[in-house]
């Protein structure tokens, strides 16, 4: 049987082959780490391919090609962090433009707009995007970008990407989806009508808690050209070693995500039945308000679970009592993490519309055996 054409290959196969031909000189099956800042040029003004590594690097390019393929986009661009990717994307806007944010957007995204870019005349509004009527009402004539996150952090709210895209496009705005929590294995926003995807590669895409990186993916040629210009002109680029590690992470994304989902489902089920747990937020649970939309737009429900307990003191006590779940910020790695968002990841949004309940605990369910994780939580809950 003939191998199908490259773009017809399935997700797992593209994760390992897109942009990853064996290297020409020795046939190394891994893309080498091109640890160089510059490239010798055969003649003045005629570089072989790259002239300087801020503008381009083969290891970075391999990662970008693979990620574009997985998201179903024409082009991906990698950045030094998720926030560097977001900041570069927002630099495509102009003073007086407005960005519409969801009411529990990632805290760093909110801080970037509220405390950095507002000084440059970029304005923002905040709305509950799970309500299409509220979204429609919140879009103003100056709104250029509708910023979607789904599932959200840390409440795991689900936003209907196709519905948002329809509303935003009718009003002449582009839709950006922060796809960090779902990853393209579970959800491909460009196929649902979004214009741009942003990632904190730091999380599931890299998957091993060993680097900080970001990315933007789009099929809009004009925007891609502008972003490629800005990637070099602003210069928030990742190093080749991190691009290599992120590319290695992509190869196992599918198997990791399947296991993250399986673990999270088991943990959410355990918590839902526990007498000390007041409320579990997991889109895979049938009572979750976004369950039907999640079932439609995602392949599975992800590896993040959050839950509420009786008091803030109890939340802190539990987060400090687990042994396998490390008490730490971040998510998406092979090791399970626990945190209390209000005083930790979300401290920067205290007093803003993004404030989260102080009794909330967030889990990033890793790849340990689910029964060991449940035993750890059972012990900590007491
Ligand atoms: C972590 C995160 C970011 C920011 O990414 P960095 O790589 O930390 O800069 C953005 N969005 C979401 C949803 C995140 O979890």
């Amino acid at each position: 049987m003939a191998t199908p054409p490259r773009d017809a290959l399935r997700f797992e196969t593209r994760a390992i082959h897109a942009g990853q031909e064996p290297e020409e000189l020795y046939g190394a099956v891994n893309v080498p780490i091109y640890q160089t800042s510059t490239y010798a040029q055969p003649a003045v003004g005629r570089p072989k391919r790259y002239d300087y590594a801020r503008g381009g690097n083969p290891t970075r390019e391999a990662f970008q090609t693979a990620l574009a393929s997985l998201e179903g986009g024409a082009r991906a661009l990698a950045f030094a962090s998720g926030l560097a990717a977001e900041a570069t994307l927002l630099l495509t806007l102009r003073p007086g433009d407005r960005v519409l944010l969801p009411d529990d957007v990632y805290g760093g995204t909110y801080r970037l707009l509220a405390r950095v870019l507002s000084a440059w005349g970029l304005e923002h509004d905040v709305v509950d995007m799970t309500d299409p009527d509220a979204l429609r009402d919140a879009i103003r004539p100056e709104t250029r970008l509708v910023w979607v996150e789904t599932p959200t952090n840390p409440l795991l709210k689900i936003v209907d990407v196709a519905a948002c895209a329809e509303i935003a496009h009718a009003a002449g705005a582009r839709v950006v989806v922060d796809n960090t929590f779902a990853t393209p294995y579970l959800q491909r926003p460009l196929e649902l009508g979004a214009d741009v995807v942003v990632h904190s590669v730091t999380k599931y895409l890299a998957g091993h808690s060993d680097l900080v990186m970001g990315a933007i993916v789009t099929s809009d040629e004009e925007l891609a050209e502008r972003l490629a210009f800005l990637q070099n002109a602003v210069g928030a680029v990742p190093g080749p070693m991190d691009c290599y590690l992120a590319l290695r992470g992509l190869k196992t994304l599918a198997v990791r995500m399947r296991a993250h989902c399986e673990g999270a489902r088991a943990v959410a089920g355990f918590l839902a039945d526990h007498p000390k747990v007041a409320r579990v937020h997991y889109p895979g649970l049938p009572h979750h308000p976004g369950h039907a939309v999640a079932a439609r737009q995602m392949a599975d429900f992800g590896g993040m679970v959050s839950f509420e307990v009786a008091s803030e003191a109890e939340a802190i006590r539990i987060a400090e009592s687990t042994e396998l779940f490390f008490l730490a910020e971040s998510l998406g790695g092979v090791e399970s993490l626990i945190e209390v968002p209000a005083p930790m990841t979300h401290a920067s949004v205290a007093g803003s519309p993004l404030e989260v309940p102080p009794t909330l605990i967030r889990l990033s369910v890793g790849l340990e055996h689910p029964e060991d994780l449940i035993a750890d939580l059972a012990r900590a809950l007491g």
Side-chain angles (χ1 to χ4, degrees):
M1 197 172 83
T3 310
R6 294 247 136 189
D7 54 0
L9 294 169
R10 291 169 180 79
F11 188 96
E12 289 83 347
T13 313
R14 284 181 281 124
I16 292 166
H17 291 279
Q20 302 167 71
E21 296 299 326
E23 166 271 333
E24 271 183 27
L25 198 53
Y26 299 113
V29 296
N30 280 299
V31 174
I33 303 163
Y34 286 92
Q35 194 75 41
T36 189
S37 63
T38 192
Y39 306 85
Q41 306 187 15
V44 172
R46 306 237 318 268
K48 279 183 166 170
R49 162 127 200 194
Y50 305 102
D51 51 12
Y52 183 61
R54 176 164 21 78
N57 174 288
T59 319
R60 185 168 100 208
E61 197 158 304
F63 170 76
Q64 293 179 160
T65 303
L67 181 59
S69 171
L70 297 184
E71 282 287 4
R75 186 123 185 225
L77 294 155
F79 295 86
S81 69
L83 279 174
E86 294 184 14
T88 306
L89 176 64
L90 291 167
L91 289 176
T92 61
L93 302 181
R94 303 175 59 82
D97 288 348
R98 304 189 80 89
V99 180
L100 187 54
L101 299 173
D103 62 359
D104 63 343
V105 68
Y106 175 71
T109 306
Y110 181 77
R111 182 177 56 197
L112 178 61
L113 279 152
R115 296 182 50 193
V116 181
L117 294 170
S118 58
W120 301 91
L122 197 57
E123 310 286 342
H124 64 276
D125 303 286
V126 175
V127 71
D128 176 2
M129 288 193 193
T130 61
D131 177 353
D133 292 327
L135 170 63
R136 202 175 284 111
D137 290 346
I139 298 181
R140 304 206 211 172
E142 301 79 24
T143 305
R144 294 284 168 274
L145 280 186
V146 171
W147 195 282
V148 176
E149 217 180 290
T150 183
T152 65
N153 174 27
L155 289 167
L156 286 317
K157 287 205 259 176
I158 299 294
V159 175
D160 185 332
V161 176
C164 280
E166 206 177 306
I167 293 166
H169 290 160
R174 280 188 169 122
V175 173
V176 181
V177 176
D178 183 334
N179 206 26
T180 300
F181 272 39
T183 82
Y185 180 68
L186 299 180
Q187 166 177 287
R188 285 178 297 282
L190 300 179
E191 291 172 6
L192 296 166
D195 304 282
V196 187
V197 166
V198 297
H199 275 287
S200 172
V201 176
T202 314
K203 317 292 169 51
Y204 287 106
L205 295 186
H208 297 75
S209 307
D210 52 5
L211 61 90
V212 172
M213 204 170 132
I216 307 175
V217 191
T218 184
S219 290
D220 180 327
E221 293 292 341
E222 204 182 310
L223 182 66
E225 273 311 308
R226 181 73 187 152
L227 287 167
F229 167 78
L230 288 171
Q231 185 191 40
N232 178 54
V234 177
V237 295
M241 180 72 193
D242 285 353
C243 292
Y244 174 84
L245 289 171
L247 186 58
R248 181 157 87 166
L250 285 189
K251 291 175 202 272
T252 56
L253 182 63
V255 285
R256 283 188 291 109
M257 291 316 293
R258 289 198 282 264
H260 279 299
C261 292
E262 187 190 323
R265 192 174 359 263
V267 165
F270 160 76
L271 291 170
D273 290 338
H274 198 283
K276 284 201 179 163
V277 174
R279 192 166 166 206
V280 182
H281 302 268
Y282 185 63
L285 293 172
H287 70 71
H288 186 284
H291 179 69
V293 175
R296 197 166 67 230
Q297 74 183 9
M298 299 175 75
D300 203 341
F301 302 101
M304 299 298 295
V305 178
S306 63
F307 64 102
E308 291 170 51
V309 293
S311 68
E312 184 175 359
E314 180 73 348
I316 291 170
R317 186 195 63 74
I318 292 164
E320 289 176 348
S321 309
T322 53
E323 287 170 16
L324 296 176
F325 283 86
F326 296 143
L327 175 61
E329 304 194 358
S330 199
L331 59 114
V334 295
E335 59 287 292
S336 292
L337 302 179
I338 189 167
E339 68 129 357
V340 184
M344 293 177 65
T345 46
H346 286 61
S348 68
V349 298
S352 80
L354 278 54
E355 209 155 12
V356 296
T359 53
L360 187 79
I361 295 173
R362 187 187 78 178
L363 304 176
S364 173
V365 179
L367 303 185
E368 302 91 339
H369 197 288
E371 293 303 326
D372 293 335
L373 295 178
I374 287 170
D376 192 30
L377 287 170
R379 212 163 33 234
L381 280 158

